[in-house]
Amino acid sequence: MAIREKNLTASLRAKIEMASLGMALSSNGVVAYVDSGHAAAGTTQKGTGDPANPYSTVNAAIASRTRCGITTVSFMPGHAETISNATSMVLDKAGVTILGIGRGSDRPTVTFDNAAGNIPISGANTVLSNFYITTSGTVDVTKGITVSAVGVLL
């Protein structure tokens, strides 16, 4: 009997998605989940990062990286993140893989809604993979992603 994707746990889906992209979790890797559409999605203070109580934003997950030893942040299918300025999504921790789970229109979406919107990447060896990046309306973003670290993979 074939394994159906909808029957997989969020954790297993993330690991399968990573493997399909040629990535692997280290044996001591910690995965944090981000899902803005989850009924129990928390904020920086409330989310725990597990599939049952995911963070609402990547900043909340990245902020807890030092505390929890997070190596991978998995955005669940359908997650939406809005970038209005250079602090909406700050990727400043080294060695973090940020992975969008899903295919096609089910991929997580990052929407720039302001010309000043920017994703600064200053964490060395950061990986950002499998996102749909767009703008809201007729916004002309001047610097969508700024990389100042080594070993960054987009």
Side-chain angles (χ1 to χ4, degrees):
M1 182 175 176
I3 297 174
R4 297 189 185 274
E5 223 177 285
K6 66 181 181 179
N7 295 332
L8 300 177
T9 65
S11 177
L12 187 55
R13 282 183 74 185
K15 290 173 185 172
I16 291 170
E17 191 79 28
M18 288 180 70
S20 72
L21 295 170
M23 301 174 193
L25 287 174
S26 65
S27 59
N28 60 353
V30 177
V31 179
Y33 296 90
V34 178
D35 188 355
S36 60
H38 192 283
T43 62
T44 303
Q45 296 80 26
K46 297 179 184 174
T48 59
D50 60 52
N53 191 21
Y55 294 109
S56 296
T57 66
V58 70
N59 276 354
I62 295 293
S64 69
R65 188 222 187 283
T66 304
R67 186 175 72 247
C68 303
I70 294 168
T71 57
T72 303
V73 178
S74 293
F75 282 48
M76 300 309 288
H79 173 77
E81 194 95 23
T82 301
I83 309 299
S84 299
N85 54 48
T87 61
S88 298
M89 182 188 287
V90 179
L91 308 180
D92 60 353
K93 304 293 187 227
V96 176
T97 296
I98 302 167
L99 175 68
I101 300 173
R103 294 185 189 107
S105 62
D106 198 29
R107 288 177 298 166
T109 301
V110 174
T111 303
F112 289 89
D113 70 350
N114 188 305
N118 179 257
I119 301 173
I121 303 176
S122 59
N125 302 313
T126 296
V127 176
L128 183 63
S129 179
N130 199 37
F131 291 87
Y132 177 67
I133 300 176
T134 187
T135 60
S136 175
T138 58
V139 173
D140 290 329
V141 178
T142 55
K143 294 181 186 176
I145 299 174
T146 309
V147 178
S148 62
V150 298
V152 173
L153 177 63
L154 301 175

